[in-house]
Amino acid sequence: MAGSAHLPGARPSTGPIEGSFEKIQHGSRAFLKTQVALAIAGFSTFALLYSIQPLLPVFSLVFHKTEASASLALSVTSGVMAFCMLVASSISESIGRKPVMVASVVSSSLLMALSALVPEWWQFLALRALMGVTLSGLPAVAMAYVAEEIHPRSTGLSIGLYIGGNAFGGMVGRLVIGVLTTHIGWRDAVLVIGLVSLIGNLTFWRLLPPSRFFQPRRFSPAALGSAFIAHLRDGALLMLYAEGFLLMGSFIVIYNYLGYRLLAPPFNLSQTIVGLIFSCYLIGIFSSAWMGNLGNKLGRRRVLWVGFAIMLAGTALTETHSVILIIAGVALVTFGFFGSHSIASSWVGMRARHARAQASSLYLFFYYLSASVVGTTGGVFMQHWGWNGVVFLTCLLLLTGLFLSWRLSRMQPLPTV
């Protein structure tokens, strides 16, 4: 997740003096309130973004759209979100962390509920595009709030709990909407997700303590652009950004189009059962922590490739005609994805020597851009070549990722300062 650091060249203005307050620590009532609030917000953000993924076959049927066209319901949101995240964290430098996060989650919930009511496909897509703008505020700013308000001894726990809320929200959103669609229809299911998220996000607004260590800073587009250019000139960072693109692209096409295969003959599974498969997300919550810890012990350059190899094995299993083996394949893809994503994203923060928030924003830009570009491209492969086409595209991405992992393992680390 992207945080926000001081922009290069930005000048601090008057603000709270850090010594006048004590930062929030684990074990305090304020820490509990903060973590519950951030978990709710992270949960709802990822539920709002990804819950419609199991509905892509439904959109194809109801709106008479191809697989690629139906995937725009997710791709347009993630694509717009990718661009908006580049500036959201920097805008929060001027107007504050909590206002940006609250506006993000509350407006996104309202847009989700409204999208259930519009009759036309283009109207639905327009609202999903607007959600890309509004959803960008929370992931772009949450890490900055944690870094400023939480005591350093409790920061790791705080971030871990927040990211766990993200993954859990992505899983539950997909699972619940699949079950609800079977019983009450997709429009009512989307409306329920939007309204429940709204209630949760209003709770987030009330619970989250106000910023006490935030200091407003002048927003400088020129300094922001200079920071981005400097990061893109670093060969290792550029490869890590590519790894984020390849990881998300491989992951999203499997999850986007597996439902089409399992709902059709010879499997003929129900929407509820297909939705239950997304409970594999729980494996990702474990693998991100496990592989992240392994990377700390053995070195990231020695571990990053492992996740890509595991994803390749899982992708191969999805070619079988056994539901059990397909589910096992999805579990392996999920394990490898979250594990390598945690290593690559943390490596970005370590590699960047300045403007780390902007370095992380670029990683997330390529990460979410892939969900849009590769997510829709996968629909073209599915439309013309079926599941074999999806597997071919996924393997191509993963093999490229393996090659870049090898290149990264041979990159000289920056000198210690």
Side-chain angles (χ1 to χ4, degrees), residues 45 83 170 178 255 269 381-382:
T45 296
F83 285 94
Y255 270 79
L269 300 183
F381 277 74
M382 182 73 182

Coordinates of all heavy atoms in Angstrom, one line a residue, residues 45 83 170 178 255 269 381-382:
T45 N -13.2 -1.1 1.4 CA -12.6 -0.7 0.1 C -12.4 -1.8 -0.9 O -12.7 -1.8 -2.0 CB -11.3 0.0 0.4 OG1 -11.5 1.2 1.1 CG2 -10.6 0.4 -0.9
F83 N -4.3 5.6 -11.9 CA -3.8 7.0 -12.2 C -4.1 7.9 -11.0 O -3.2 8.8 -10.6 CB -4.5 7.5 -13.4 CG -4.0 6.9 -14.7 CD1 -4.6 5.9 -15.3 CD2 -2.8 7.5 -15.3 CE1 -4.1 5.3 -16.5 CE2 -2.3 6.9 -16.5 CZ -2.9 5.8 -17.1
G170 N -11.6 -8.3 0.4 CA -11.7 -8.8 -1.0 C -12.3 -10.2 -1.1 O -13.0 -10.5 -2.0
G178 N -21.6 -13.5 -4.4 CA -22.0 -14.8 -5.1 C -23.2 -15.5 -4.5 O -24.1 -15.9 -5.2
Y255 N -8.8 -15.2 -11.8 CA -10.0 -15.0 -11.0 C -11.1 -14.4 -11.8 O -12.3 -14.6 -11.5 CB -9.6 -14.1 -9.8 CG -9.2 -14.8 -8.6 CD1 -7.9 -15.3 -8.4 CD2 -10.1 -15.0 -7.5 CE1 -7.6 -16.0 -7.3 CE2 -9.7 -15.7 -6.4 CZ -8.5 -16.2 -6.3 OH -8.1 -16.9 -5.1
L269 N -21.4 -25.6 -12.2 CA -21.5 -25.2 -10.8 C -22.4 -24.0 -10.6 O -22.7 -23.2 -11.5 CB -20.1 -24.9 -10.2 CG -19.1 -26.0 -10.3 CD1 -17.8 -25.5 -9.6 CD2 -19.6 -27.3 -9.6
F381 N -8.7 -13.3 -24.9 CA -8.2 -14.6 -25.0 C -9.2 -15.7 -24.6 O -9.3 -16.7 -25.3 CB -7.0 -14.8 -24.0 CG -5.7 -14.3 -24.6 CD1 -5.4 -12.9 -24.7 CD2 -4.7 -15.2 -25.0 CE1 -4.3 -12.4 -25.3 CE2 -3.5 -14.7 -25.6 CZ -3.3 -13.3 -25.7
M382 N -10.1 -15.4 -23.6 CA -11.1 -16.3 -23.3 C -12.2 -16.4 -24.4 O -12.7 -17.5 -24.7 CB -11.8 -15.8 -22.0 CG -12.9 -16.7 -21.4 SD -12.2 -18.3 -20.7 CE -13.7 -19.1 -20.2

